[in-house]
Amino acid sequence: GFALYRALARTALPGGTTVQGPAAAPGLTFVEGDATVTGTFPAGAAVVAAGTLTLRGDVRAAGGGVLFLAAREGIVAHGNDRLRAVLYTPGSLTFTGRVSLTGTAVAGTMHLAGNSSFTYVKPTTGALTVPLPGFVVTRSTWYENFATITTR
């Protein structure tokens, strides 16, 4: 579970924290509860929360890379957010408003409302790497299940 992320974390923060990309260090930041994530992160950064992640504004990694974002309870983005990320939650991924994701999303359930859009970055030629030791998404493990995506 999420204990592995806590063990790998370079930085650990309390719940209720806002993690701002420009102030974040490369490596994994673990938040003990809910967190808000915003801004452009350095290459090689990742944010994992034991609670819910709320994404605000443009959230991405510097240099055109992808940012790894994970949350045990869920991930929420709303407004005019533009995301370039790999998103993972065993809970719910909820987009409301004009959210645009370029990357990959894995969630227990997905809820889309408004004019949200996905542009998948598929690992069709090799692998899609994220900044966690040993975590690589390959074509052989790739799977899309649109039956679990609901729109409102």
Side-chain angles (χ1 to χ4, degrees):
F2 278 69
L4 171 65
Y5 297 121
R6 175 63 179 95
L8 293 173
R10 175 175 287 174
T11 304
L13 301 171
T17 299
T18 296
V19 183
Q20 297 179 345
L28 175 60
T29 298
F30 186 85
V31 180
E32 298 290 347
D34 297 342
T36 299
V37 176
T38 186
T40 301
F41 286 74
V47 179
V48 176
T52 298
L53 278 180
T54 300
L55 312 180
R56 299 262 189 229
D58 295 347
V59 178
R60 63 188 70 232
V66 294
L67 180 64
F68 179 72
L69 300 170
R72 183 179 6 218
E73 294 179 14
I75 298 174
V76 177
H78 49 83
N80 291 315
D81 301 343
R82 290 182 298 166
L83 315 171
R84 183 166 177 85
V86 171
L87 305 177
Y88 168 73
T89 179
S92 292
L93 174 64
T94 304
F95 286 175
T96 59
R98 299 179 63 87
V99 178
S100 171
L101 170 66
T102 300
T104 303
V106 177
T109 59
M110 294 185 189
H111 304 281
L112 307 178
N115 292 321
S116 297
S117 65
F118 286 94
T119 303
Y120 285 107
V121 177
K122 293 186 179 183
T124 54
T125 57
L128 176 64
T129 58
V130 295
L132 290 176
F135 186 63
V136 176
V137 178
T138 63
R139 186 172 187 175
S140 65
T141 60
W142 184 261
Y143 176 70
E144 291 179 23
N145 182 354
F146 290 103
T148 62
I149 299 174
T150 59
T151 59
R152 296 181 208 166

